[in-house]
Amino acid sequence: MKKRLFLIFAVVIFISSLSFLYLLVIIKGNPYTNLLVQYHMNKHMDRNEITRDMLIPDNSGYLEPKQLIHKDYYQGLYQLEFKDEPQITYYYGLHKEDKTIIQFCKENPVVVRSFKKGKHSEEICANAYKK
């Protein structure tokens, strides 16, 4: 009898923890994608000589958009706002296959975010919302 109660209790705890983890991923995003994008974005910033002093700290960092983005890129994006261009937000994505950081520059009329050309725009860019 005690074995059966222990087994039922273990199954309930397991299902509860899976539900909690699922809700956490829905709310905060995939933690693996977050770490992956952060790691590759730091390398990209080092290569392009972008320092933390150049950025607005509260408006720069990882974000998980609610709408689907291009299927070749991870869902998590990285946004940068520079102190010398506070009116423009630059968005970056991590390509799934070759793990390169690409700046997004094409607009989607349905989404409020706009991708404007600015001082820190890169020559190679991608459409974030191509299906």
Side-chain angles (χ1 to χ4, degrees):
M1 185 69 167
K2 287 185 179 182
K3 256 186 176 177
R4 182 178 290 164
L5 282 175
F6 177 75
L7 185 61
I8 291 172
F9 183 71
V11 168
V12 167
I13 294 294
F14 179 73
I15 291 173
S16 299
S17 63
L18 282 180
S19 302
F20 175 74
L21 289 174
Y22 181 71
L23 285 174
L24 190 66
V25 167
I26 287 174
I27 294 169
K28 294 242 180 205
N30 187 339
Y32 173 71
T33 304
N34 185 347
L35 289 174
L36 204 58
V37 170
Q38 295 271 357
Y39 173 75
H40 287 286
M41 190 63 198
N42 286 334
K43 286 174 43 178
H44 179 78
M45 288 171 59
D46 289 342
R47 276 192 306 271
N48 291 327
E49 299 174 357
I50 300 171
T51 62
R52 299 279 177 204
D53 296 334
M54 299 168 68
L55 304 173
I56 301 173
D58 294 339
N59 299 344
S60 299
Y62 180 81
L63 68 112
E64 191 81 22
K66 300 301 178 200
Q67 70 279 0
L68 291 177
I69 64 167
H70 195 292
K71 64 180 174 57
D72 293 339
Y73 295 91
Y74 286 103
Q75 182 66 16
L77 299 177
Y78 205 89
Q79 70 178 12
L80 295 180
E81 279 192 26
F82 292 89
K83 289 179 181 174
D84 58 349
E85 281 185 311
Q87 71 279 8
I88 299 177
T89 303
Y90 296 93
Y91 295 97
Y92 297 85
L94 181 64
H95 197 271
K96 287 181 180 177
E97 289 182 15
D98 56 4
K99 303 293 189 258
T100 56
I101 294 287
I102 301 291
Q103 188 179 62
F104 292 130
C105 59
K106 304 284 192 245
E107 290 189 30
N108 182 358
V110 176
V111 181
V112 177
R113 289 190 184 100
S114 64
F115 302 100
K116 299 176 184 172
K117 292 277 186 190
K119 189 167 132 182
H120 300 283
S121 295
E122 298 179 7
E123 289 182 27
I124 299 173
C125 61
N127 184 354
Y129 300 103
K130 180 182 173 187
K131 298 294 178 198

